[in-house]
Amino acid sequence: MSAQKLSRSFAFLYVLAMFGAFITFVPLAALILPQKIATVDDIAPAGAVRALSWLLVGGGIMAGIGNIIAGHFSDQIFKRTGSRRGLIRIGLFGIIATLAAFGAAKSFAGLMLAMVAFQLALNALLSPLVALLVDYVPDTKKGRMAGWLGLALPVGSLAVSVLVALPAIGTAWQLTLIILVATGLISPLLHYWPAPSEPDDPASTLATADPKVAPPGSLKRDFALAWTSRLLVQFAAATILPYLYYYVADVANPGANPTDVATGVGVLSLTFTGASVGGGLILGWVSDRLKKRGVVLVSSAGMVSVSMLMLAMITSWPAIIAAYALFAAGLAGFLAVDSALVAQLLSTSSRRATLLGLMNLTNTLPGVLAPATTLFILGGGGGGAARIVIVLKLAAVSALLAAICGSQIRAGR
């Protein structure tokens, strides 16, 4: 098998496996878990939102810890065996078991235990999967690959839509369907493993490093800047995505009744999906072609900043749709290019999966920081257009600071 064909086979199965990983948790959080809570005996209907919040907080904390732990073990296994396939397999088996535990849970405590165990299993799967971008994908193709991998979130959201469109089959069958689909998408990578038999060695990578990649002495500085930049952009995203319904109702106000609001949310959600697919793939490809990821990183963070300011200031519905599309494209592009840049930066490190676990905190911390900031700004008086606009302007500043941090990264200039 030629190296070119081998690379394409690996890329295809790698992307499918990442799709499968996201399908295991996006429908769980967005659809199945709230439905399951309604059937648990010791959770009153009035306490459902509170119970869900505690489960998400507990899961978020364990996700941050679990990814770092999984990254450490992934690196250790990789040093001994030269492959991360074993930990990916363990993660998949763990996910199957813990999704079954969700279906069998009869109490809040059972759901919490299932959530904690699920996050450990999920990160045992995700941590080595993400590290494969560093291990096997050449620097010249990392941007495009990161763009394809970034489609996993829209695919996970599509899985939610499919489950909603199906006849009422109950959470147990929904979980079973997720297990079957995820296993079908992840197993081919484990079975065929069309990756090079010997991944890039950090020492040899350093010897042949691209001159545009910063020397090892800059690793800590550049990694810290990339970490901060992604945290700030993810914070900006977390101020709008969970509150989209309230933004449409209080700021955009496309109609006079809840049906119109729901339609508006649907239009923006569809816009987000389409623009994020295009933004991730195109900007990732551009960063490969230009060989200046830093320029594309700063530009995409600027797109997020400008779009958040537009959403805070404009009231025309067509302009809001355009601004939200700009936001989605900028966010997807930033995440793709930042992932490629970090993977390129860590190509000289033997602790790549561990450091990627630290980078994963930029995905979990905004889920706590953004709601806390929003609650502080809203105060005891609740929402309102004026206060939501303040939150959006703060998000615009956050994304602007992300662009400034990105401009200081030496690698990939």
Side-chain angles (χ1 to χ4, degrees):
M1 182 179 293
S2 67
Q4 183 179 6
K5 185 177 182 181
L6 179 69
S7 177
R8 289 179 179 176
S9 300
F10 173 73
F12 178 71
L13 296 183
Y14 182 22
V15 171
L16 285 185
M18 190 64 76
F19 287 179
F22 272 67
I23 284 174
T24 65
F25 72 86
V26 175
L28 179 68
L31 178 66
I32 296 176
L33 198 53
Q35 292 176 342
K36 181 64 180 180
I37 287 174
T39 68
V40 173
D41 295 335
D42 61 350
I43 300 177
V49 175
R50 184 179 178 85
L52 177 60
S53 299
W54 277 113
L55 288 170
L56 294 177
V57 168
I61 293 173
M62 186 52 61
I65 298 173
N67 200 273
I68 296 174
I69 294 173
H72 172 74
F73 280 107
S74 179
D75 283 334
Q76 297 303 312
I77 294 171
F78 188 65
K79 289 177 184 178
R80 292 197 302 268
T81 66
S83 173
R84 303 185 194 272
R85 177 164 50 174
L87 188 58
I88 295 174
R89 184 179 289 112
I90 291 173
L92 177 58
F93 289 156
I95 284 175
I96 293 172
T98 52
L99 287 178
F102 274 114
K106 302 296 183 183
S107 66
F108 174 77
L111 287 175
M112 181 62 80
L113 288 174
M115 174 63 80
V116 170
F118 173 77
Q119 287 293 352
L120 287 174
L122 177 63
N123 283 282
L125 173 70
L126 279 177
S127 178
L129 273 180
V130 173
L132 297 183
L133 181 64
V134 187
D135 295 337
Y136 298 113
V137 181
D139 287 348
T140 56
K141 297 182 179 180
K142 280 183 168 64
R144 278 165 285 183
M145 177 58 73
W148 282 105
L149 295 175
L151 300 184
L153 181 57
V155 168
S157 299
L158 180 62
V160 177
S161 301
V162 171
L163 289 176
V164 170
L166 291 175
I169 57 177
T171 56
W173 281 107
Q174 288 175 335
L175 289 166
T176 301
L177 186 59
I178 287 175
I179 289 172
L180 292 175
V181 173
T183 302
L185 292 173
I186 297 171
S187 294
L189 177 66
L190 296 173
H191 181 70
Y192 295 106
W193 199 251
S197 58
E198 294 186 5
D200 288 340
D201 176 72
S204 62
T205 302
L206 177 59
T208 60
D210 190 302
K212 295 183 182 298
V213 180
S218 301
L219 172 60
K220 291 183 180 180
R221 177 185 181 276
D222 282 349
F223 183 82
L225 286 169
W227 191 96
T228 304
S229 184
R230 188 187 296 188
L231 178 72
L232 290 168
V233 165
Q234 293 280 55
F235 173 84
T239 62
I240 182 67
L241 291 176
Y243 301 100
L244 185 60
Y245 185 93
Y246 303 103
Y247 169 78
V248 172
D250 296 336
V251 180
N253 193 22
N257 59 64
T259 302
D260 293 328
V261 173
T263 301
V265 171
V267 169
L268 290 183
S269 298
L270 185 61
T271 299
F272 181 88
T273 299
S276 62
V277 170
L281 292 177
I282 294 173
L283 291 176
W285 176 81
V286 169
S287 76
D288 284 341
R289 295 288 293 178
L290 292 179
K291 298 182 180 179
K292 293 183 178 180
R293 299 198 199 281
V295 174
V296 184
L297 187 75
V298 172
S299 300
S300 56
M303 291 168 62
V304 174
S305 180
V306 170
S307 63
M308 298 304 288
L309 190 60
M310 291 175 63
L311 290 171
M313 298 181 65
I314 59 181
T315 56
S316 167
W317 183 242
I320 287 174
I321 295 176
Y324 203 68
L326 181 66
F327 160 69
L331 177 63
F334 177 90
L335 294 177
V337 176
D338 186 70
S339 296
L341 181 59
V342 169
Q344 187 173 338
L345 181 64
L346 297 183
S347 61
T348 59
S349 174
S350 61
R351 300 175 60 244
R352 51 188 61 166
T354 305
L355 292 173
L356 286 170
L358 291 174
M359 183 61 68
N360 184 63
L361 292 175
T362 63
N363 300 322
T364 57
L365 287 177
V368 177
L369 296 176
T373 303
T374 301
L375 286 172
F376 175 78
I377 292 176
L378 295 181
R387 294 185 177 183
I388 292 176
V389 165
I390 293 174
V391 176
L392 295 176
K393 290 180 178 179
L394 179 62
V397 173
S398 178
L400 179 60
L401 291 175
I404 294 173
C405 288
S407 68
Q408 300 304 306
I409 298 175
R410 296 171 184 168
R413 285 187 178 180

